[in-house]
Amino acid sequence: VPPRTRTRTLPRSPSSEFRLIRPRLTPSFPSPPSPAPPGVSPPTMETSADAQMTQGDDDSVRAKALETRELLRNGGDPDPSIFDTVAMLKQWMKTEGKTAADVRDLVDEIQSLMDPPAGPELKELEQKVSAAMDKDPYTPEGSTKRAEAYYILEKFRAKYANQIVVSSFLTKRRRLLRGKDKKENVAALDADHPNVANDIHRLNELRQRLALARPHRGFLAAVKAFARNVAVFVWVVCAIPMCFTAVVLRVTHPPLRSIGVRNGQLPLDLFQMHLCRVVLSILGVRVRYHGLKRIKSLRENGTGTIGMFSHTCNLDPFIVSAGPLAFKWVGKRELFLVPILGWMVFLYGHIPIDRKNLKKAKDAINQTVVGKIKKWNRSIAISPEGTRSRSGRLADFKRGPFHLAKNVHLPITPIHIEGAWVLNPPGTKLIYPGTVDLEFLPSENVEKGDSVDVLSHRVRDVLLESTNPARNFSSLGKMDSTQDSKNGSESSKTLSLAQLECDSETGWGHKTVAFAILPFLNLGFLYFLKKKLI
């Protein structure tokens, strides 16, 4: 071999063998290789900026352990990479053997400080929940007690999860659930931090216990609901030709926008609104809208917003779309694959996302959704929970909607929907009639420096406050004239949206009746043409 091509392969240094445990909890490390030849400096590889130490650097390891312990002892906020730091210390002890005996006690103390129990506050919370569960949930007093207990539970849960150690634990757990061998890795993480894992499990159990009570309905109510559901099915089938024909109205939107017609007053927007109102009216669902003055500027200027609604019922897209704002809602891909109806929804401009494929979901948000907002100044409706709540209460939020809010820098309008869950609880095939109250809550502006977690916490706090039985409704208006004024201050503490005068509501108005007749006139016209042409 010519001398110019003769090379010498250098062994890897111990520092290059050390790596952060991310995302695996207990990765296997090879034994340290032989040292480099004399006169040749081995290549090095730095670890993360949070823990710049090497496997053989005893002083750095001990200094990092002492620094972390003192920080936790003083109640400071450790770095979110603290779990990786402790994993590095454990791996270092394994490789060093007996020389790491003095570090072992430090690591054990650090791990005990990283696993703080919730303390007596959680026991008091459990007692309050038990006291609320003893009340009859079908009485006003019992439902109010459960609502109060749920509000206190969520406030405590948010405070507990904001601790940097618990937040880091939840972040790492969420990351492990997306990887391979998720059950084994999550079980290992829970075993390392039993107190935090046990407290989170107890909080989840309390949340399940405070689920909304299913209403008692008799056989006659089921028969009436079945008749209404059949009537909706027949009307929708008759309206299919008209609905597909109405897609042509999208061609008129660009010229109408050029002459000053704003979103919400465009032909297809009005068609969609009246279509949803007819469906709700046939089902016997009455929707009352509150807080319209909070979105007055959005309606007058036609500017876009991101409406984040609490999702508890399959009717929520109809309830939101029947309102004064023309939303384009984001839904799971399976809904758009339903023959005829799903295709029609897609042609109306609504956006499907594949929840099973994270990359495709991000692409759909970044391309389709952002394009609609920036080009046409549209308003988007999306559920931050990702899917409807099984308990009727607020579920955990996903991060995707808040990434969308950061990309477009539009205000977030939280939307509280009350009374929809009892119309179609999970496992119920029929949709029952009833009254639903929808409230537009104060908008949250998105600043450049806001993180996804900050936006999520702010929106969740606003939606959570809307479920507080002791909230102040003075900004929404006065009590409904049908309510008994003798209750006075006694009922002010348990005031609900149903006791307030609404700004707008759905029902059998003359426009809704006329729109309900249109499909049959359309079918008659088509039949007449068929007879004439044939």
Side-chain angles (χ1 to χ4, degrees):
V1 180
R4 59 187 179 82
T5 60
R6 189 175 298 155
T7 58
R8 170 177 288 178
T9 304
L10 297 179
R12 299 175 68 186
S13 68
S15 60
S16 65
E17 294 296 330
F18 188 80
R19 55 188 174 89
L20 287 177
I21 302 176
R22 187 179 293 165
R24 297 176 56 191
L25 285 175
T26 56
S28 59
F29 290 85
S31 57
S34 57
V40 179
S41 58
T44 59
M45 180 180 297
E46 293 184 357
T47 60
S48 67
D50 299 324
Q52 293 184 356
M53 57 174 125
T54 60
Q55 186 178 359
D57 194 350
D58 299 0
D59 295 335
S60 298
V61 173
R62 289 177 174 82
K64 187 66 177 179
L66 290 171
E67 178 185 353
T68 305
R69 185 188 65 177
E70 293 302 321
L71 190 63
L72 291 171
R73 277 182 174 179
N74 298 329
D77 291 339
D79 194 270
S81 63
I82 186 170
F83 288 93
D84 295 326
T85 303
V86 172
M88 292 168 66
L89 293 173
K90 289 182 178 179
Q91 186 60 33
W92 183 84
M93 288 191 302
K94 289 182 181 179
T95 56
E96 291 297 318
K98 294 182 180 179
T99 59
D102 56 338
V103 181
R104 190 179 306 277
D105 295 337
L106 290 176
V107 173
D108 291 341
E109 184 178 355
I110 291 171
Q111 191 157 356
S112 64
L113 292 172
M114 286 173 56
D115 190 29
E121 295 181 8
L122 184 55
K123 293 184 178 180
E124 295 178 3
L125 184 59
E126 288 176 335
Q127 294 175 358
K128 291 181 180 179
V129 172
S130 299
M133 294 298 295
D134 292 338
K135 303 291 183 180
D136 186 1
Y138 299 101
T139 61
E141 181 185 2
S143 61
T144 302
K145 289 292 184 183
R146 288 196 177 196
E148 291 174 352
Y150 168 76
Y151 176 77
I152 297 173
L153 168 65
E154 288 299 317
K155 281 293 186 182
F156 175 81
R157 183 187 177 92
K159 178 182 176 181
Y160 181 66
N162 281 339
Q163 298 180 29
I164 197 68
V165 172
V166 180
S167 177
S168 301
F169 173 85
L170 294 175
T171 302
K172 193 170 187 66
R173 200 171 191 270
R174 184 170 57 248
R175 189 171 57 201
L176 292 175
L177 287 172
R178 294 197 299 263
K180 296 181 179 179
D181 302 328
K182 55 184 179 182
K183 292 184 178 180
E184 293 79 3
N185 291 336
V186 170
L189 180 65
D190 293 346
D192 288 340
H193 308 280
N195 289 335
V196 175
N198 182 53
D199 291 340
I200 292 175
H201 178 70
R202 290 164 65 186
L203 289 172
N204 290 336
E205 284 188 342
L206 292 178
R207 178 190 278 182
Q208 293 176 1
R209 291 179 62 190
L210 290 173
L212 293 178
R214 289 175 174 267
H216 295 312
R217 293 189 176 98
F219 176 75
L220 184 59
V223 171
K224 291 181 180 179
F226 178 77
R228 287 180 178 274
N229 284 252
V230 171
V232 166
F233 177 78
V234 172
W235 187 87
V236 170
V237 170
C238 295
I240 286 175
M242 181 184 69
C243 292
F244 274 101
T245 306
V247 177
V248 184
L249 295 174
R250 293 185 69 179
V251 181
T252 65
H253 288 189
L256 289 176
R257 284 194 180 97
S258 64
I259 62 175
V261 179
R262 64 179 185 272
N263 293 327
Q265 299 298 323
L266 298 172
L268 194 59
D269 295 342
L270 296 174
F271 184 91
Q272 174 184 281
M273 180 186 69
H274 289 295
L275 177 67
C276 294
R277 291 194 172 197
V278 169
V279 171
L280 293 173
S281 298
I282 297 176
L283 289 172
V285 178
R286 177 188 173 210
V287 184
R288 307 168 74 245
Y289 295 94
H290 306 268
L292 294 186
K293 61 182 180 181
R294 294 171 179 162
I295 58 170
K296 183 179 180 181
S297 60
L298 299 177
R299 297 174 64 192
E300 293 179 350
N301 303 329
T303 55
T305 185
I306 301 177
M308 295 192 180
F309 59 93
S310 53
H311 192 13
T312 59
C313 179
N314 289 330
L315 282 178
D316 287 343
F318 291 89
I319 294 171
V320 174
S321 299
L325 283 181
F327 283 105
K328 298 297 182 184
W329 47 270
V330 180
K332 60 181 181 180
R333 177 172 166 266
E334 290 77 8
L335 295 176
F336 294 81
L337 297 178
V338 177
I340 301 178
L341 295 179
W343 307 336
M344 183 179 65
V345 170
F346 178 76
L347 292 175
Y348 276 42
H350 302 288
I351 304 104
I353 57 171
D354 189 358
R355 297 189 304 184
K356 297 180 181 178
N357 191 321
L358 186 60
K359 184 178 182 302
K360 289 184 178 180
K362 287 182 178 179
D363 292 341
I365 288 177
N366 294 331
Q367 297 176 9
T368 310
V369 181
V370 176
K372 284 182 181 293
I373 293 176
K374 290 185 176 180
K375 186 176 181 180
W376 305 116
N377 209 15
R378 279 291 187 181
S379 295
I380 301 296
I382 187 171
S383 170
E385 299 156 296
T387 185
R388 69 168 179 159
S389 172
R390 306 287 297 180
S391 63
R393 308 288 190 183
L394 274 180
D396 294 328
F397 284 2
K398 306 295 183 184
R399 298 171 64 86
F402 302 98
H403 281 292
L404 169 64
K406 284 194 64 179
N407 290 340
V408 298
H409 295 288
L410 282 180
I412 299 174
T413 303
I415 303 173
H416 171 55
I417 302 176
E418 183 178 299
W421 186 84
V422 296
L423 304 182
N424 182 232
T428 304
K429 302 298 182 183
L430 299 176
I431 298 175
Y432 288 85
T435 302
V436 177
D437 289 278
L438 184 146
E439 180 186 359
F440 293 97
L441 300 170
S443 299
E444 293 288 331
N445 294 323
V446 180
E447 306 295 340
K448 290 185 178 180
D450 291 339
S451 64
V452 171
D453 292 332
V454 169
L455 290 175
S456 177
H457 292 157
R458 281 163 50 187
V459 174
R460 188 176 183 85
D461 287 342
V462 173
L463 285 172
L464 185 61
E465 286 296 330
S466 66
T467 65
N468 183 10
R471 63 175 293 203
N472 184 9
F473 287 96
S474 59
S475 61
L476 288 179
K478 57 184 179 180
M479 292 182 61
D480 195 336
S481 58
T482 59
Q483 301 296 324
D484 188 5
S485 60
K486 293 182 179 180
N487 294 334
S489 60
E490 296 179 1
S491 63
S492 61
K493 295 183 179 181
T494 59
L495 197 64
S496 64
L497 285 174
Q499 296 173 279
L500 298 176
E501 289 185 353
C502 62
D503 300 326
S504 175
E505 63 180 318
T506 63
W508 284 113
H510 62 279
K511 294 182 180 180
T512 306
V513 173
F515 194 88
I517 298 174
L518 277 181
F520 305 103
L521 296 178
N522 184 37
L523 289 178
F525 179 70
L526 294 177
Y527 181 76
F528 175 76
L529 288 180
K530 178 182 176 182
K531 286 292 186 181
K532 285 294 183 182
L533 293 176
I534 296 177

